[in-house]
Amino acid sequence: MADWMQVDLHIHTALSPCADEEMTPWNIVRMAQLEGLKVIAVTDHNTIANAWAVIEVGKKLGLTVLPGMEVQTREEVHLLGIFPTLEQASAFQEVIWSHLPDKPNHPEIFGEQILYDSSDRPIGTVERLLLQSVLLGVEEVGAAIAAHGGLTIAAHVNRRSYSLISQLAMVPEGLRLDAVEIDRSLSYQRFIEKYGELSCYPILCSSDAHRLTDLVGSYRPWLLLDEASFAALKELLLSDDCSRIRFR
Ligand SMILES: [Zn+2]
Ligand SMILES: [Zn+2]
């Protein structure tokens, strides 16, 4: 039966160099459950390598966790790809990895890129710098997400950097978006006043959490979903029924 739920489709783990070490699989899932979230997505910069561990913890504790990625395109636009399965996300990862320049990370400057297992044990680090642009444009990235069965969401569109609006001032004709995400610092009302031309898309707000306290708050909308799953989320976003997304 359909029910009103809150979801968070933009959460970084400690694998993102800019995220805190406390962003471990167990901490993220437990905090999401304390917040009452029914679906979360793990979206590290240009990688899905920690998603499996968070998914495993979600299975143990009863939370739907989707594999995702925050891709930084050639234009320095951040796009979220949210995938139904780890297999599809992994195939998409291969595309991104083959277009990510082989520059090393400098942890002392950018931060550590830590891999965790599903018991919260650090099991290594990623050597290649994750926080950089892939050699693909927004339309190419959007097409690749769709080709791997994913949903494409323009991240924090109202931000002054790394957003579709800051970099391109518009949605390119060849980019199919399933939703746009408002930065949590802006209210839905203010967003619509300022960016009315984007109101034709489903509007979401997620945390873009880099530390656990980012997950706390009432900024997320309520979604009327048939169940806590990727399929139900996709059905809602494709339904064109804005009355099923409510900001309070
Ligand atoms: Zn971003
Ligand atoms: Zn982010």
Side-chain angles (χ1 to χ4, degrees):
M1 201 181 75
D3 204 355
W4 290 96
M5 303 178 200
Q6 284 186 304
V7 309
D8 192 321
L9 304 178
H10 191 165
I11 299 176
H12 293 268
T13 75
L15 182 51
S16 293
C18 41
D20 280 3
E21 279 181 37
E22 66 184 13
M23 296 305 275
T24 66
W26 280 83
N27 282 349
I28 289 169
V29 171
R30 284 201 160 129
M31 189 59 116
Q33 288 186 310
L34 281 175
E35 280 294 293
L37 302 176
K38 299 299 184 216
V39 180
I40 65 167
V42 177
T43 54
D44 284 310
H45 293 290
N46 295 324
T47 181
I48 58 140
N50 265 351
W52 74 271
V54 190
I55 290 169
E56 284 301 308
V57 176
K59 278 184 196 156
K60 278 191 195 124
L61 298 183
L63 177 69
T64 302
V65 180
L66 302 174
M69 189 188 295
E70 182 170 29
V71 182
Q72 182 170 313
T73 73
R74 197 196 328 253
E75 305 90 340
E76 300 200 323
V77 172
H78 285 185
L79 287 182
L80 300 174
I82 311 293
F83 298 91
T85 66
L86 208 44
E87 289 69 30
Q88 281 153 302
S90 301
F92 177 73
Q93 171 79 83
E94 283 181 31
V95 175
I96 292 303
W97 209 247
S98 64
H99 291 88
L100 187 70
D102 196 7
K103 286 188 218 161
N105 181 32
H106 295 289
E108 65 287 0
I109 300 170
F110 302 112
E112 297 280 1
Q113 301 181 154
I114 308 166
L115 293 160
Y116 281 100
D117 70 8
S118 56
S119 301
D120 268 9
R121 276 188 296 255
I123 51 171
T125 55
V126 169
E127 302 303 313
R128 199 184 299 190
L129 177 63
L130 294 170
L131 198 44
Q132 57 170 325
S133 294
V134 297
L135 305 173
L136 293 167
V138 282
E139 287 151 311
E140 291 169 297
V141 172
I145 292 171
H148 291 84
L151 296 167
T152 306
I153 302 173
H156 42 67
V157 278
N158 56 296
R159 240 185 243 171
R160 290 193 189 147
S161 54
Y162 301 111
S163 80
L164 202 53
I165 301 305
S166 73
Q167 304 308 105
L168 302 175
M170 54 151 196
V171 182
E173 230 169 75
L175 176 64
R176 215 192 73 79
L177 289 176
D178 295 297
V180 300
E181 178 198 75
I182 316 179
D183 180 277
R184 67 190 144 92
S185 64
L186 193 70
S187 74
Y188 174 75
Q189 276 314 326
R190 281 285 297 142
F191 177 78
I192 291 299
E193 281 162 29
K194 249 182 126 177
Y195 303 95
E197 72 277 11
L198 292 175
S199 61
C200 55
Y201 294 102
I203 313 274
L204 299 175
C205 182
S206 293
S207 63
D208 192 7
H210 285 72
R211 54 199 63 78
L212 285 173
T213 50
D214 291 342
L215 288 165
V216 180
S218 57
Y219 44 82
R220 302 178 188 92
W222 290 84
L223 275 48
L224 186 60
L225 293 170
D226 288 336
E227 57 179 23
S229 70
F230 177 90
L233 192 64
K234 182 175 176 181
E235 187 274 326
L236 166 61
L237 296 183
L238 298 184
S239 73
D240 267 346
D241 185 355
C242 291
S243 69
R244 290 170 61 194
I245 302 177
R246 280 194 196 152
F247 284 83
R248 294 200 175 149

